Amino acid sequence: MIIDCHTHINYYEDENQPALPGSLENLQREMRRNRVDVAIVLTSYKVNPGRPSTHDAVMATRALSNIFIVAGIRYDGFKKDDLVEIRGFLQEGSVRGLKLYPGYETFYPQDERMRPVFELAGEFDVPVMIHTGDTLNPMGKVKFAHPLHVDEIAVDFPDVKIIICHIGNPWVRDTMEVVYKNKNVYTDISGLVLGDFTDRFEVYMRKQIQEMILYGVEPEKVLYGTDWPISSMESYLRFMEELKIPAQEKKKIMWENAAQLFKLSKENTNLNGNAMPGWLK
Ligand SMILES: [Zn+2]
């Protein structure tokens, strides 16, 4: 069983080229090829032809039982009204979490303007995913994406579950501490490479993840994700295969934690009428 908790359906090469439906078909093909059972698709903080809106992503995946949407929220130009439609999607279960992009946009997660996002997440008990670490775009400002900033908002909203995306890479140690200290903070291991891992980087990164678990970050707090199409699914699965941790812990990382966090269970059926995969009880 594999749940990839961090994928995108954006066209990064040319944002003027409509991404849907092609990007979604590519995602499904990659999932089949790599035997990935469920993918969570994160929409962007901006909307253009290459970056489908949350609305369009929800509509395009309505009939699919193995793809779920996390709604990207913009900081620039954010209005409380932005959350009205998302609230409806949360109510019907077609959106399973919220995502912020500090670093790509110039704000800290604890910024006053973003507090309604955490309040909404608390109301529906869905996780808030936060971009941390390096930005794909060199125009990003990485001080805003340092994982240490997640600590403040995690303390202010102790009942809201927060996911530090990309283990804060390269600030993995800081992520370890923020996850270890706060019972409501998790981390995903997505987006560590562009395309495939090189052998040396793979060894280096695997050591850091093993260290993180050794340090005391519970395996219940770590989620498998790739950041596909930025990182290769195939390369990521190989990376996980050779991770030296007990099988029971690996299982948690590969799908059990995500199933719990995003409430991918039979009881909580998708109200769009999506049939939930039978394996999730
Ligand atoms: Zn991503």
Side-chain angles (χ1 to χ4, degrees):
M1 182 64 44
I2 302 168
I3 299 180
D4 187 337
C5 83
H6 192 135
T7 69
H8 299 284
I9 49 171
N10 305 323
Y11 272 161
Y12 294 101
E13 310 75 44
D14 180 7
E15 298 195 351
N16 295 316
Q17 198 192 334
L20 287 172
S23 60
L24 188 57
E25 287 160 9
N26 290 345
L27 171 62
Q28 289 174 287
R29 196 184 52 239
E30 277 303 295
M31 287 171 71
R32 274 195 304 273
R33 192 180 283 166
N34 293 287
R35 297 166 193 256
V36 172
D37 298 277
V38 172
I40 304 206
V41 166
L42 284 42
T43 58
S44 183
Y45 57 97
K46 54 181 180 180
V47 175
N48 55 42
R51 293 176 185 246
S53 67
T54 297
H55 175 92
D56 289 352
V58 165
M59 294 308 147
T61 55
R62 259 196 198 287
L64 306 174
S65 62
N66 59 346
I67 294 178
F68 295 89
I69 304 297
V70 160
I73 314 264
R74 62 175 175 166
Y75 173 79
D76 289 328
F78 173 80
K79 297 182 295 299
K80 255 188 141 177
D81 275 0
D82 289 0
L83 300 178
V84 171
E85 188 184 40
I86 290 168
R87 166 181 289 276
F89 291 144
L90 286 168
Q91 253 152 7
E92 63 175 22
S94 49
V95 160
R96 297 295 173 125
L98 308 172
K99 167 97 190 273
L100 299 177
Y101 291 85
Y104 286 99
E105 295 187 290
T106 49
F107 71 102
Y108 291 110
Q110 67 270 28
D111 191 294
E112 203 60 41
R113 194 191 296 177
M114 291 289 97
R115 291 180 95 82
V117 173
F118 292 89
E119 285 159 9
L120 186 67
E123 195 183 326
F124 287 92
D125 190 28
V126 294
V128 179
M129 302 179 78
I130 301 181
H131 172 84
T132 65
D134 185 46
T135 55
L136 186 62
N137 179 347
M139 295 305 287
K141 294 179 176 167
V142 289
K143 76 167 182 180
F144 294 99
H146 196 288
L148 207 49
H149 297 299
V150 174
D151 182 59
E152 190 169 336
I153 195 74
V155 169
D156 289 354
F157 288 90
D159 298 324
V160 175
K161 296 176 180 107
I162 296 172
I163 300 169
I164 296 180
C165 298
H166 321 304
I167 47 174
N169 182 39
W171 300 296
V172 180
R173 293 253 167 136
D174 305 75
T175 297
M176 275 159 59
E177 171 55 17
V178 179
V179 176
Y180 171 77
K181 167 181 167 282
N182 299 293
K183 71 166 184 11
N184 55 328
V185 180
Y186 300 73
T187 187
D188 83 35
I189 63 163
S190 71
L192 301 175
V193 286
L194 298 178
D196 294 330
F197 282 98
T198 58
D199 292 344
R200 285 171 70 200
F201 187 70
E202 190 169 336
V203 169
Y204 168 72
M205 234 33 247
R206 207 181 276 125
K207 197 164 151 260
Q208 292 194 68
I209 292 171
Q210 282 162 191
E211 240 173 44
M212 177 165 73
I213 291 170
L214 187 69
Y215 173 79
V217 167
E218 295 159 335
E220 286 79 8
K221 301 289 224 43
V222 182
L223 303 164
Y224 176 74
T226 58
D227 213 12
W228 185 91
I230 294 161
S231 306
S232 138
M233 284 192 188
E234 197 185 333
S235 193
Y236 249 84
L237 287 172
R238 205 167 44 237
F239 174 82
M240 285 306 292
E241 229 162 73
E242 284 167 37
L243 192 66
K244 286 182 183 57
I245 56 169
Q248 199 53 35
E249 296 186 356
K250 204 178 277 189
K251 192 171 151 200
K252 286 179 181 161
I253 295 170
M254 291 311 290
W255 71 275
E256 287 182 343
N257 300 337
Q260 207 160 51
L261 213 49
F262 294 97
K263 296 184 186 152
L264 307 176
S265 72
K266 259 195 158 166
E267 292 73 48
N268 186 40
T269 42
N270 190 328
L271 297 180
N272 292 326
N274 292 1
M276 292 297 295
W279 43 266
L280 291 169
K281 299 230 176 65

